[in-house]
Amino acid sequence: MSLRKQQPTLVIHLTRYGFTDAANILGEDYQYYWSDDRRWQQEIIADQPLFDDAGKLNKAYQRALFIIDNGFPWLTDRRVIQQLPANQIFFAKQLKISSELHDLLSLRGAIEFNKLHPEKLFEMINYYWYSGSDGYRYDPQSWLFNPALVKTIYQRGNLYREFQVTDQENWDVLTYPNHSFYLPAGLTDTISLDYQVFFWGAVRVEN
């Protein structure tokens, strides 16, 4: 069985017995795929083998979620586990694996679930899973500077700017974002600002 290129996030479950009934919980944002095919180059997406000839995961599956239980074809193959996308792996707590592989799954940010209650797994994916970025870098070119204080500005790579300011005894606005930006649902509204002061001076960050 092969699927056409899809918009929903694939939930890939390669094992002897699937969770097809429980997977009905998933909404239109996800597409459950179960197979007992043990071939490396099986095509879950049409014309896109799961692994290439070198044993590397096809980029077409980098957004997919992977469910691992004792029926996973390459359960003891460390190379395969290392290829699966970090933070997008769900593994059954009933897994019979070495402590080394268990540690590897932990390093990959794998999430444990109870195979006896697969509906709980799909509820978690459907209602609480967020597969997007957990942060966004604010373009340093999108900042406004107070021309009364800033003498010169130097661009340091793509991330930082260095600028000289006039002597100032009182607090005043030095720089600020020139527009607000959208934060997707599920993300905190905390903004991190890295800065370093050379010579004498003090900086206060306010929102």
Side-chain angles (χ1 to χ4, degrees):
M1 172 182 176
S2 296
L3 305 174
R4 294 181 180 273
K5 289 189 175 181
Q6 79 300 324
Q7 292 301 321
T9 299
L10 273 174
V11 181
I12 299 176
H13 191 193
L14 304 178
T15 188
R16 290 186 295 272
Y17 306 104
F19 298 151
T20 51
D21 289 339
N24 289 327
I25 295 172
L26 292 176
E28 61 183 11
D29 291 333
Y30 298 94
Q31 185 170 3
Y32 177 72
Y33 178 88
W34 163 66
S35 172
D36 58 0
D37 192 337
R38 304 180 65 86
R39 293 177 300 141
W40 277 63
Q41 295 188 321
Q42 57 185 289
E43 296 181 0
I44 299 172
I45 299 174
D47 302 321
Q48 297 290 342
L50 185 59
F51 293 94
D52 62 22
D53 292 334
K56 292 186 177 181
L57 183 70
N58 189 323
K59 291 182 179 179
Y61 303 99
Q62 289 294 336
R63 290 182 60 250
L65 308 182
F66 287 83
I67 299 175
I68 297 179
D69 57 27
N70 285 312
F72 187 68
W74 312 288
L75 186 60
T76 60
D77 194 329
R78 184 183 180 90
R79 297 170 302 169
V80 172
I81 303 298
Q82 289 175 326
Q83 292 291 323
L84 301 183
N87 306 314
Q88 295 168 214
I89 306 169
F90 298 86
F91 71 99
K93 71 176 185 179
Q94 293 88 353
L95 274 184
K96 298 176 181 178
I97 55 174
S98 66
S99 58
E100 180 185 9
L101 279 177
H102 193 281
D103 290 344
L104 176 58
L105 285 171
S106 296
L107 288 173
R108 302 296 294 167
I111 301 169
E112 186 179 80
F113 74 95
N114 189 341
K115 187 178 180 179
L116 299 179
H117 301 285
E119 69 280 356
K120 299 293 185 182
L121 166 64
F122 293 115
E123 286 177 1
M124 177 173 60
I125 293 174
N126 202 42
Y127 298 111
Y128 304 108
W129 182 257
Y130 178 73
S131 57
S133 173
D134 62 355
Y136 296 84
R137 188 181 299 280
Y138 200 80
D139 187 347
Q141 297 176 350
S142 298
W143 290 80
L144 294 179
F145 295 89
N146 186 343
L149 295 180
V150 178
K151 291 182 178 179
T152 56
I153 301 177
Y154 302 96
Q155 185 73 36
R156 302 302 187 194
N158 295 322
L159 304 182
Y160 297 99
R161 280 182 168 180
E162 179 182 320
F163 45 89
Q164 296 178 334
V165 298
T166 59
D167 294 336
Q168 180 78 6
E169 294 183 358
N170 301 316
W171 290 106
D172 203 344
V173 175
L174 180 63
T175 181
Y176 56 93
N178 66 0
H179 59 78
S180 60
F181 56 93
Y182 170 72
L183 287 172
L187 293 187
T188 178
D189 60 358
T190 299
I191 300 175
S192 175
L193 177 65
D194 295 329
Y195 65 88
Q196 184 175 2
V197 178
F198 297 94
F199 305 108
W200 296 102
V203 175
R204 187 168 64 196
V205 180
E206 296 183 351
N207 56 18

